[in-house]
Amino acid sequence: MTQPLKVVVVGNGMVGYKFCEKLLTKVGGGLFSITVIGEEPRPAYDRVHLSAYFSGTSVEELTMAPASWYAEHGIQLLTGECVVKIDPAAHYVQTHTGLQIPYDKLVLATGSGAFVPPVPGVEKEGVFVYRTIEDLDAIIGYSKGATRAAVIGGGLLGLEAAKATLDLGLETHVVEFAPRLMPRQLDAAGAGMLKRKMEALGIQIHLNKNTSQFDGGAAVVGLSFADGTSLEVDMVVISAGIRPRDELAKQAAIAVGPRGGIVVNDQLQTSHPDIYAIGECALHQGMIYGLVAPGYEMAEVVANNLVQGPTVKEFKAFDMSTKLKLIGVDVASFGEPFCEQTPHDTIVVEDKLKGIYKRLNVTTDGKYLLGGILVGEAENYNMLLQTVKNRLVLPPNPEDLVLPARKGDGASAGAGVAALPDEASICSCENITKGAICQAIEEHNLPDVAAIKKCTKAGTGCGGCVPMLSDLLTETLKKQGKVVKKVLCEHFDYSRQEMYHLIQTSGTRTYDEVVAKFGKGCGCEVCKPAVASMLASIYNDVIAKQAVIQDTNDRFMANIQRGGTYSVVPRVPGGEITPEQLIALGTVAKKYDLYCKITGGQRVDLFGARVEQLPSIWEELLEVGFESGHAYGKSLRTVKSCVGSTWCRFGVQDAVGFAIRVENRYKGIRSPHKLKSAVSGCTRECAEAQSKDFGIIATDKGWNLYVCGNGGIKPQHALLLASDLDDETCLKYIDRFLMFYIKTAEPLQRTATWFNKLEGGMEYLRDVIINDSLGIAAELERELQYLVDTYHDEWRVAVETPEIRARFSHFVNVEEPDPTLEFVEMRGQKRPADW
Amino acid sequence: MNNQPTTWFKAAPISAFPENGGACVKYNDKQIAVFHFKQLDKWYATDNECPHKHQMALSRGMIGDQQGHPKVACPFHKKTFSLETGLNLQGEDYCINVYPVKIEDGFVFIGI
Ligand code: SRM
Ligand SMILES: Cc1cc2nc3c(=O)[nH]c(=O)nc-3n(C[C@H](O)[C@H](O)[C@H](O)COP(=O)(O)OP(=O)(O)OC[C@H]3O[C@@H](n4cnc5c(N)ncnc54)[C@H](O)[C@@H]3O)c2cc1C
Ligand code: SF4
Ligand code: FES
């Protein structure tokens, strides 16, 4: 057996830790013996979220992994141990306690320290930096005797420190040398907006201030500036930049940059090939990356190259886009925020009232996004960043990407995560792609964002991508749901829409033919009723001819009830019913001992009929002119109607008359799910048409047509499709609408759900239905007219066809009712016994 | 599951049962659901009572297969049961009795 390779890591910060984690996942231990030496007294913690310590997040919560994690994975962790010497020739490092640790490969992850400007008095009591938990403890301790604090540095870290001192209840001043805040990320206008916001929160900002001296005796009492002004404070936090920790490298004669930083090549090797440098201490192509994401990528490159050999993976210049919330203010800059060298046009949105500034840099042809700045609102940051990174072509009006969403027909800003390619990096901290995340969601059935974080590590860094994770989850689940629904079931590899087309063009008329031709196996309770519905929508044949593929209610053309009896609901178009019919209902109910109830759909439901009684009951109802009400079918239920102009003093059209016409036109048509409609005689809307799949409301010029409403489980108002239609046009649009829905919806999808998934929304639907943008209007009308022309009352057919009628029996070997049926009395009628 | 039927009960002629569907027969106080898979020329018999809510309804359920395994779905809440073992296929605790079926002289016999 070969000796495991000795890997020694100097520095147990975020990147040093990440390197261990990455190396382990690549080899799972064994091949390497890993030693990590950190100077801080505790294992690596999340420095990015250091400020959370102020608001009560514990050290444990911030810790990347507890000491036990290192032990469990065979990593030797030395904390509180500072490496003071590297001997590159003899291949060992030495710590301040004299420990000598040999290595085959050395990884320097020493990070950086705060840059402390050499200003007189900087060593005074009450002057702090902001980098470690110890720094924070010291700041918290000292703040108890202080009332005013200054933060030197108006960059990203400085503003974070300012928030900390503000939270500690101190009067807070930010002193910045440059003429604006966050000079590396923001332009003058963006920085101006940020300044206003900060000031509104009570932070005083001093720009163009060059600190010349820290005033006071032993303890600091104020700052003096080069312009002769001064500021009285009790404590100072210096956050004027970072200085890479390259002292070890220097000592070992490893090349460092002129302004600090350990020089590395694309493999992140230092001038000594067995020594690597990663994270904030590394100087790559003249650049120190002061962010965690590039550090993690460096860890990945080195771990990868140690396992697979050098040159396999190279570190490439890294995107420095950032988004952060500074004291409740969103700030982001991405891509090329300034575009100083690149020809571009800018789109700027500025709302001083709301404190929002947004700038997009767009190529001069308007096609691509180069970068931008967001202050005050950065919701779209992730999408914008991905648009830059993946060179996605911009929509025709790129300003929509930064304008507040306009009211109206949901023209959504950008195409959302769905538009991103699989390679798009979603979590830039951990460098995890959209593809990897979606795959993990699918493979491990991840139910929520927490599970995604756990499984993929995405979102565990800065957390900025969490909203996108949630979008991806929704998208993937939707897709999965669609996969389940998209293919009908295990017996058919087609979506409903594809099946519809196949059945229609092949002329297959029975389920057996359809499964033989397009499917496999014996079918199931999912595909049978779905195919039955399609066959009915296409051919409108008598459904009882293929009874065994119908859902139970359709098989016996009645709704099955608790206990196993059925209900009878005759159609009452428009709610208009003759006295003879009312009497017949009573007579039948009495004769068969049925429970009677007026339904919510303005008709009467007779409950408690035994299966063998159904044909006789219907026979008697047919005699007085009743027809099936299709209360059991995925088909038109009722067209509810108010009384309308014939009686009502407000009515402007004959609602009942039109409702009857509508109900009689569409009755019996089978659809993906049930259809409900209503007609109201005026805008008071007593028929509740706006809660229906298609609803009609009278105007003094005609009818307003609303579509895709829903009551039920998830109520949704119908939307206006067209206004002031005459009778014929209204029916024409309904014809087209219904047929379009019937042909394209998923099984058991009501119009509202169908609409919600329809890309392009109402504008698109209107285009198809009214402007015939797909050129299918005539075909839709023809197909619907066929269904109208082939209408038959299926209960009449059943009653009059002996073979069908014979099927209505409980037993096939004896003529007896089900002896187990049990009823109890309730308010003078019967109901089934409890189950 | 029953192994060795003690009695072969002559239920009804083949024609009394729907193709690719189910129907119910009465045997003394028992209700038995009989299912016919036409393409496979296979017959199955089970209790008619669904153990979920004790509804006499399985014979009215839809039949089919799950990965080639024959099953019936109760019309009430779509619980599905194996026609070979009687076990609930959603992995719930219910199960039903299954009975052997033979066809002789155009008649369906159920082994009880
Ligand atoms: C009888 C009635 C209740 C009543 O006593 O008033 C009723 C009864 C049933 N409704 Fe309903 N619904 C009745 C009006 C409604 C209404 C109100 C309306 O239409 O004005 C709604 C909300 C409106 C809507 O659908 O948008 C309604 C929303 C539902 C839903 C939820 C649908 C949804 O999209 O969320 C279901 C479940 C389903 O369809 O999947 C449902 C399903 C059922 C079923 C069929 C459940 C079933 O499969 O056994 C009930 C059996 C009735 C039976 O045995 O005869 N019923 N149901 C109403 C019959 C109206 C009619 O004359 O046809
Ligand atoms: C307050 C704050 C907020 C930040 N916010 C963000 C942010 O929002 N987004 C972002 O991307 N980045 C942010 N950063 C920067 C981010 O924390 C750093 O980029 C990241 O921590 C760098 O990791 P590192 O391992 O290279 O360095 P470090 O985390 O600094 O780790 C280096 C470790 O090495 C140890 N060490 C050094 N020399 C020796 C030695 N000779 N012997 C032993 N041990 C040694 C140090 O003590 C330290 O523990 C923030 C930083 C701070 C301080
Ligand atoms: S609301 Fe529920 S319980 Fe009431 S009738 Fe409708 S489905 Fe049945
Ligand atoms: S009674 Fe059979 S599934 Fe509920």
Side-chain angles (χ1 to χ4, degrees):
Chain A
M1 245 192 77
T2 48
Q3 281 286 313
L5 198 72
K6 291 189 283 291
V7 177
V8 171
V9 184
V10 182
N12 184 218
M14 297 185 79
V15 174
Y17 161 76
K18 188 56 63 175
F19 169 76
C20 297
E21 188 192 285
K22 293 200 182 255
L23 193 58
L24 283 181
T25 57
K26 294 201 192 312
V27 288
L31 226 60
F32 298 98
S33 86
I34 309 171
T35 305
V36 187
I37 309 160
E39 153 205 78
E40 291 188 71
R42 54 177 63 82
Y45 51 89
D46 183 353
R47 211 177 297 287
V48 169
H49 293 105
L50 192 62
S51 297
Y53 188 65
F54 280 109
S55 42
T57 304
S58 66
V59 174
E60 287 69 42
E61 285 168 281
L62 287 174
T63 301
M64 309 291 295
S68 57
W69 177 87
Y70 297 84
E72 277 159 27
H73 292 88
I75 298 175
Q76 192 188 9
L77 171 68
L78 305 174
T79 50
E81 201 81 29
C82 178
V83 174
V84 291
K85 179 183 162 191
I86 305 172
D87 188 331
H91 278 79
Y92 72 87
V93 298
Q94 184 174 326
T95 72
H96 76 296
T97 59
L99 266 172
Q100 291 195 347
I101 300 159
Y103 67 83
D104 296 317
K105 300 281 175 192
L106 183 65
V107 179
L108 300 176
T110 49
S112 66
F115 166 68
V116 179
V119 175
V122 72
E123 71 295 334
K124 288 185 198 307
E125 246 175 67
V127 179
F128 300 91
V129 296
Y130 193 79
R131 175 116 200 140
T132 64
I133 287 184
E134 284 66 33
D135 294 336
L136 266 60
D137 280 337
I139 292 171
I140 294 170
Y142 201 83
S143 73
K144 300 206 166 99
T147 51
R148 284 164 303 179
V151 173
I152 297 185
L156 200 149
L157 289 184
L159 292 173
E160 214 173 291
K163 170 171 169 48
T165 56
L166 193 70
D167 285 353
L168 289 171
L170 304 177
E171 179 188 309
T172 298
H173 299 261
V174 170
V175 177
E176 169 59 49
F177 176 74
R180 60 174 196 263
L181 290 176
M182 295 183 67
R184 295 172 63 163
Q185 286 89 7
L186 300 183
D187 60 8
M193 193 67 79
L194 181 62
K195 178 167 178 274
R196 287 167 58 122
K197 288 223 133 193
M198 295 283 135
E199 284 167 345
L201 292 161
I203 297 178
Q204 300 178 43
I205 312 272
H206 311 269
L207 300 174
N208 293 311
K209 292 285 179 197
N210 186 3
T211 309
S212 54
Q213 185 183 304
F214 289 73
D215 306 329
V220 68
V221 295
L223 299 174
S224 292
F225 304 114
D227 62 3
T229 58
S230 61
L231 180 69
E232 279 182 28
V233 290
D234 314 313
M235 64 187 289
V236 179
V237 180
I238 299 180
S239 200
I242 56 170
R243 196 183 50 81
R245 304 263 317 250
D246 55 9
E247 63 272 12
L248 262 183
K250 273 187 198 150
Q251 168 274 323
I254 294 167
V256 298
R259 277 180 297 152
I262 307 168
V263 176
V264 290
N265 64 14
D266 288 350
Q267 267 81 47
L268 304 169
Q269 280 161 319
T270 64
S271 57
H272 204 288
D274 285 337
I275 303 177
Y276 296 81
I278 58 178
E280 275 187 357
C281 64
L283 182 70
H284 179 257
Q285 292 181 1
M287 178 91 179
I288 295 278
Y289 289 96
L291 293 175
V292 75
Y296 281 7
E297 175 64 12
M298 291 178 180
E300 167 73 24
V301 170
V302 175
N304 200 74
N305 290 354
L306 284 187
V307 174
Q308 302 190 10
T311 75
V312 170
K313 211 175 155 147
E314 297 192 337
F315 182 77
K316 302 256 159 51
F318 208 88
D319 186 63
M320 290 294 282
S321 305
T322 29
K323 172 186 164 191
L324 56 156
K325 216 181 184 74
L326 286 168
I327 325 186
V329 184
D330 279 327
V331 180
S333 85
F334 56 93
E336 287 188 62
F338 308 122
C339 273
E340 275 151 355
Q341 316 292 329
T342 321
H344 67 283
D345 287 319
T346 54
I347 298 172
V348 171
V349 177
E350 195 174 23
D351 182 342
K352 289 218 162 107
L353 216 55
K354 291 200 182 120
I356 294 171
Y357 171 80
K358 298 181 180 182
R359 163 177 171 176
L360 295 185
N361 305 318
V362 183
T363 51
T364 47
D365 60 3
K367 273 201 178 141
Y368 300 101
L369 187 59
L370 295 163
I373 292 168
L374 309 170
V375 176
E377 189 183 271
E379 259 176 48
N380 280 350
Y381 167 75
N382 281 310
M383 273 319 300
L384 294 171
L385 174 61
Q386 297 296 342
T387 306
V388 174
K389 281 198 185 169
N390 297 294
R391 262 186 97 70
L392 299 183
V393 177
L394 286 169
N397 304 310
E399 66 274 17
D400 283 352
L401 296 173
V402 284
L403 282 176
R406 287 192 204 127
K407 286 247 157 60
D409 288 348
S412 64
V417 285
L420 296 177
D422 274 356
E423 310 77 58
S425 160
I426 299 293
C427 174
S428 32
C429 293
E430 296 277 348
N431 197 9
I432 301 174
T433 60
K434 170 181 167 183
I437 294 169
C438 294
Q439 196 185 345
I441 296 173
E442 275 174 36
E443 275 176 15
H444 305 288
N445 282 320
L446 304 179
D448 49 29
V449 172
I452 300 178
K453 284 180 166 183
K454 196 158 172 235
C455 177
T456 63
K457 300 226 168 272
T460 57
C462 70
C465 62
V466 169
M468 280 186 118
L469 295 183
S470 141
D471 284 353
L472 280 178
L473 180 69
T474 324
E475 194 207 351
T476 315
L477 291 185
K478 216 166 46 186
K479 242 200 236 149
Q480 274 180 319
K482 246 196 208 145
V483 174
V484 183
K485 258 185 231 151
K486 219 109 209 146
V487 255
L488 274 192
C489 66
E490 64 172 82
H491 303 102
F492 290 95
D493 277 336
Y494 300 103
S495 68
R496 182 180 180 279
Q497 202 173 329
E498 291 165 337
M499 287 291 297
Y500 196 100
H501 183 74
L502 287 172
I503 295 172
Q504 197 169 31
T505 49
S506 65
T508 36
R509 293 186 85 103
T510 67
Y511 177 81
D512 293 348
E513 280 168 41
V514 173
V515 77
K517 213 169 169 134
F518 306 115
K520 54 175 181 281
C522 302
C524 67
E525 72 280 3
V526 174
C527 60
K528 284 180 175 181
V531 169
S533 163
M534 287 184 259
L535 289 170
S537 294
I538 295 168
Y539 303 112
N540 207 15
D541 210 344
V542 177
I543 60 160
K545 285 192 189 164
Q546 296 185 71
V548 292
I549 60 164
Q550 311 292 339
D551 227 327
T552 320
N553 288 350
D554 267 336
R555 177 164 176 190
F556 294 99
M557 297 191 290
N559 286 320
I560 195 165
Q561 252 78 53
R562 226 142 51 80
T565 60
Y566 289 88
S567 68
V568 172
V569 188
R571 189 167 291 287
V572 182
E576 199 174 77
I577 190 164
T578 66
E580 288 70 34
Q581 289 177 319
L582 278 173
I583 291 167
L585 281 177
T587 312
V588 167
K590 222 168 163 178
K591 177 169 169 189
Y592 294 92
D593 188 20
L594 304 174
Y595 166 92
C596 304
K597 181 180 182 302
I598 310 286
T599 72
Q602 62 186 25
R603 42 196 193 170
V604 179
D605 201 340
L606 309 174
F607 293 85
R610 297 198 306 267
V611 65
E612 68 275 10
Q613 293 176 323
L614 288 172
S616 334
I617 292 172
W618 274 107
E619 193 161 34
E620 290 174 40
L621 293 173
L622 291 168
E623 264 165 38
V624 289
F626 279 122
E627 297 177 307
S628 168
H630 298 96
Y632 46 82
K634 302 300 176 215
S635 52
L636 184 76
R637 296 287 164 88
T638 69
V639 179
K640 231 165 119 170
S641 163
C642 75
V643 65
S645 60
T646 46
W647 288 88
C648 177
R649 63 194 164 125
F650 293 120
V652 289
Q653 303 287 346
D654 174 13
V656 183
F658 198 50
I660 293 173
R661 193 167 166 203
V662 170
E663 182 153 349
N664 282 329
R665 179 165 182 81
Y666 302 113
K667 66 187 175 190
I669 292 176
R670 288 291 194 289
S671 45
H673 206 312
K674 60 193 176 193
L675 292 168
K676 296 182 178 184
S677 178
V679 183
S680 281
C682 83
T683 182
R684 289 171 189 74
E685 247 282 70
C686 297
E688 300 168 312
Q690 288 166 98
S691 68
K692 302 300 180 193
D693 297 277
F694 56 106
I696 301 156
I697 302 175
T699 67
D700 44 12
K701 298 189 205 68
W703 308 105
N704 282 353
L705 176 58
Y706 291 78
V707 293
C708 301
N710 206 165
I713 304 165
K714 208 168 159 286
Q716 180 169 326
H717 277 141
L719 296 173
L720 184 65
L721 181 77
S723 346
D724 297 327
L725 305 172
D726 58 50
D727 290 14
E728 301 315 315
T729 314
C730 187
L731 292 177
K732 184 168 83 181
Y733 288 171
I734 300 173
D735 283 5
R736 294 176 182 178
F737 165 72
L738 287 181
M739 210 60 216
F740 187 49
Y741 159 68
I742 288 172
K743 294 181 82 162
T744 58
E746 300 290 341
L748 300 180
Q749 195 174 40
R750 288 282 296 263
T751 53
T753 342
W754 167 74
F755 174 79
N756 295 345
K757 305 225 165 124
L758 199 65
E759 264 174 49
M762 184 47 80
E763 239 168 279
Y764 171 73
L765 189 59
R766 213 173 268 143
D767 249 9
V768 174
I769 304 300
I770 299 175
N771 307 330
D772 192 14
S773 60
L774 299 180
I776 55 170
E779 178 188 324
L780 295 175
E781 282 173 42
R782 189 168 13 86
E783 288 169 344
L784 195 116
Q785 189 57 43
Y786 170 82
L787 298 178
V788 174
D789 294 340
T790 49
Y791 170 77
H792 51 273
D793 177 5
E794 52 202 32
W795 260 113
R796 180 173 293 280
V797 177
V799 164
E800 290 172 357
T801 313
E803 307 91 85
I804 297 178
R805 195 168 173 154
R807 286 194 216 128
F808 290 82
S809 69
H810 185 71
F811 295 117
V812 291
N813 60 336
V814 286
E815 273 193 36
E816 278 176 37
D818 178 358
T820 64
L821 293 179
E822 248 187 281
F823 300 93
V824 293
E825 204 253 19
M826 182 194 63
R827 293 188 290 274
Q829 298 195 66
K830 73 170 181 189
R831 71 163 179 87
D834 291 337
W835 57 17
Chain B
M1 262 199 82
N2 302 42
N3 305 323
Q4 214 45 52
T6 46
T7 321
W8 282 105
F9 159 57
K10 185 174 181 178
I14 288 175
S15 59
F17 298 92
E19 290 174 353
N20 296 320
C24 180
V25 296
K26 188 166 187 261
Y27 172 69
N28 298 332
D29 280 344
K30 244 179 151 42
Q31 297 195 19
I32 295 173
V34 177
F35 304 99
H36 181 200
F37 286 71
K38 188 173 169 245
Q39 307 97 297
L40 308 177
D41 193 24
K42 286 249 186 178
W43 292 79
Y44 297 94
T46 69
D47 291 336
N48 190 35
E49 183 178 305
C50 173
H52 175 225
K53 292 282 181 184
H54 304 290
Q55 301 291 301
M56 284 298 182
L58 289 180
S59 61
R60 298 180 206 171
M62 250 180 286
I63 59 170
D65 74 295
Q66 178 171 321
Q67 248 85 63
H69 191 99
K71 66 170 179 178
V72 60
C74 175
F76 275 88
H77 311 101
K78 297 274 156 76
K79 307 266 179 208
T80 52
F81 299 92
S82 157
L83 293 175
E84 270 165 11
T85 65
L87 293 177
N88 173 276
L89 291 172
Q90 279 103 340
E92 290 167 33
D93 257 350
Y94 328 109
C95 62
I96 51 175
N97 289 307
V98 296
Y99 307 94
V101 181
K102 68 175 182 184
I103 307 295
E104 261 173 38
D105 310 326
F107 270 84
V108 175
F109 289 80
I110 301 165
I112 300 203

PDB file of all heavy atoms in Angstrom, chain A residues 74-85:
ATOM      1  N   GLY A  74     -11.529  11.984   9.760  1.00  0.00           N
ATOM      2  CA  GLY A  74     -10.096  11.665   9.793  1.00  0.00           C
ATOM      3  C   GLY A  74      -9.209  12.861   9.521  1.00  0.00           C
ATOM      4  O   GLY A  74      -8.062  12.705   9.101  1.00  0.00           O
ATOM      5  N   ILE A  75      -9.751  14.080   9.740  1.00  0.00           N
ATOM      6  CA  ILE A  75      -8.939  15.278   9.528  1.00  0.00           C
ATOM      7  C   ILE A  75      -8.367  15.711  10.879  1.00  0.00           C
ATOM      8  O   ILE A  75      -9.109  15.810  11.863  1.00  0.00           O
ATOM      9  CB  ILE A  75      -9.784  16.418   8.941  1.00  0.00           C
ATOM     10  CG1 ILE A  75     -10.324  15.992   7.572  1.00  0.00           C
ATOM     11  CG2 ILE A  75      -8.962  17.705   8.833  1.00  0.00           C
ATOM     12  CD1 ILE A  75     -11.270  16.993   6.961  1.00  0.00           C
ATOM     13  N   GLN A  76      -7.081  15.964  10.894  1.00  0.00           N
ATOM     14  CA  GLN A  76      -6.492  16.464  12.123  1.00  0.00           C
ATOM     15  C   GLN A  76      -6.643  17.977  12.146  1.00  0.00           C
ATOM     16  O   GLN A  76      -6.143  18.677  11.264  1.00  0.00           O
ATOM     17  CB  GLN A  76      -5.022  16.065  12.194  1.00  0.00           C
ATOM     18  CG  GLN A  76      -4.465  16.299  13.573  1.00  0.00           C
ATOM     19  CD  GLN A  76      -2.966  16.111  13.636  1.00  0.00           C
ATOM     20  OE1 GLN A  76      -2.283  15.965  12.613  1.00  0.00           O
ATOM     21  NE2 GLN A  76      -2.423  16.118  14.839  1.00  0.00           N
ATOM     22  N   LEU A  77      -7.369  18.483  13.133  1.00  0.00           N
ATOM     23  CA  LEU A  77      -7.610  19.930  13.215  1.00  0.00           C
ATOM     24  C   LEU A  77      -6.852  20.504  14.401  1.00  0.00           C
ATOM     25  O   LEU A  77      -7.008  20.058  15.527  1.00  0.00           O
ATOM     26  CB  LEU A  77      -9.110  20.186  13.388  1.00  0.00           C
ATOM     27  CG  LEU A  77      -9.509  21.630  13.695  1.00  0.00           C
ATOM     28  CD1 LEU A  77      -9.240  22.538  12.513  1.00  0.00           C
ATOM     29  CD2 LEU A  77     -10.973  21.716  14.110  1.00  0.00           C
ATOM     30  N   LEU A  78      -6.029  21.487  14.132  1.00  0.00           N
ATOM     31  CA  LEU A  78      -5.335  22.184  15.212  1.00  0.00           C
ATOM     32  C   LEU A  78      -5.854  23.611  15.238  1.00  0.00           C
ATOM     33  O   LEU A  78      -5.657  24.371  14.293  1.00  0.00           O
ATOM     34  CB  LEU A  78      -3.828  22.184  14.962  1.00  0.00           C
ATOM     35  CG  LEU A  78      -3.158  20.819  14.753  1.00  0.00           C
ATOM     36  CD1 LEU A  78      -1.699  20.993  14.378  1.00  0.00           C
ATOM     37  CD2 LEU A  78      -3.285  19.976  16.017  1.00  0.00           C
ATOM     38  N   THR A  79      -6.533  23.979  16.319  1.00  0.00           N
ATOM     39  CA  THR A  79      -6.993  25.362  16.430  1.00  0.00           C
ATOM     40  C   THR A  79      -6.088  26.088  17.429  1.00  0.00           C
ATOM     41  O   THR A  79      -5.410  25.467  18.239  1.00  0.00           O
ATOM     42  CB  THR A  79      -8.460  25.433  16.910  1.00  0.00           C
ATOM     43  OG1 THR A  79      -8.599  24.627  18.065  1.00  0.00           O
ATOM     44  CG2 THR A  79      -9.413  24.937  15.851  1.00  0.00           C
ATOM     45  N   GLY A  80      -6.123  27.417  17.348  1.00  0.00           N
ATOM     46  CA  GLY A  80      -5.293  28.216  18.252  1.00  0.00           C
ATOM     47  C   GLY A  80      -3.806  28.008  18.017  1.00  0.00           C
ATOM     48  O   GLY A  80      -2.984  28.223  18.895  1.00  0.00           O
ATOM     49  N   GLU A  81      -3.490  27.586  16.838  1.00  0.00           N
ATOM     50  CA  GLU A  81      -2.094  27.259  16.512  1.00  0.00           C
ATOM     51  C   GLU A  81      -1.729  28.085  15.278  1.00  0.00           C
ATOM     52  O   GLU A  81      -2.389  27.976  14.247  1.00  0.00           O
ATOM     53  CB  GLU A  81      -2.003  25.763  16.197  1.00  0.00           C
ATOM     54  CG  GLU A  81      -0.631  25.147  16.318  1.00  0.00           C
ATOM     55  CD  GLU A  81      -0.248  24.805  17.751  1.00  0.00           C
ATOM     56  OE1 GLU A  81      -1.156  24.524  18.566  1.00  0.00           O
ATOM     57  OE2 GLU A  81       0.952  24.829  18.055  1.00  0.00           O
ATOM     58  N   CYS A  82      -0.690  28.923  15.415  1.00  0.00           N
ATOM     59  CA  CYS A  82      -0.345  29.814  14.306  1.00  0.00           C
ATOM     60  C   CYS A  82       0.925  29.302  13.605  1.00  0.00           C
ATOM     61  O   CYS A  82       1.948  29.072  14.247  1.00  0.00           O
ATOM     62  CB  CYS A  82      -0.111  31.215  14.863  1.00  0.00           C
ATOM     63  SG  CYS A  82       0.369  32.403  13.600  1.00  0.00           S
ATOM     64  N   VAL A  83       0.816  29.157  12.318  1.00  0.00           N
ATOM     65  CA  VAL A  83       1.987  28.713  11.569  1.00  0.00           C
ATOM     66  C   VAL A  83       2.926  29.908  11.411  1.00  0.00           C
ATOM     67  O   VAL A  83       2.498  30.990  10.984  1.00  0.00           O
ATOM     68  CB  VAL A  83       1.589  28.155  10.196  1.00  0.00           C
ATOM     69  CG1 VAL A  83       2.835  27.822   9.368  1.00  0.00           C
ATOM     70  CG2 VAL A  83       0.708  26.930  10.359  1.00  0.00           C
ATOM     71  N   VAL A  84       4.186  29.709  11.787  1.00  0.00           N
ATOM     72  CA  VAL A  84       5.110  30.838  11.733  1.00  0.00           C
ATOM     73  C   VAL A  84       6.197  30.641  10.680  1.00  0.00           C
ATOM     74  O   VAL A  84       6.931  31.559  10.345  1.00  0.00           O
ATOM     75  CB  VAL A  84       5.768  31.094  13.114  1.00  0.00           C
ATOM     76  CG1 VAL A  84       4.723  31.629  14.089  1.00  0.00           C
ATOM     77  CG2 VAL A  84       6.414  29.826  13.664  1.00  0.00           C
ATOM     78  N   LYS A  85       6.287  29.423  10.151  1.00  0.00           N
ATOM     79  CA  LYS A  85       7.374  29.170   9.219  1.00  0.00           C
ATOM     80  C   LYS A  85       7.023  28.052   8.255  1.00  0.00           C
ATOM     81  O   LYS A  85       6.397  27.050   8.617  1.00  0.00           O
ATOM     82  CB  LYS A  85       8.618  28.779  10.024  1.00  0.00           C
ATOM     83  CG  LYS A  85       9.831  28.465   9.181  1.00  0.00           C
ATOM     84  CD  LYS A  85      10.989  28.028  10.053  1.00  0.00           C
ATOM     85  CE  LYS A  85      12.008  27.302   9.184  1.00  0.00           C
ATOM     86  NZ  LYS A  85      13.030  26.617   9.958  1.00  0.00           N
TER      87      LYS A  85
END
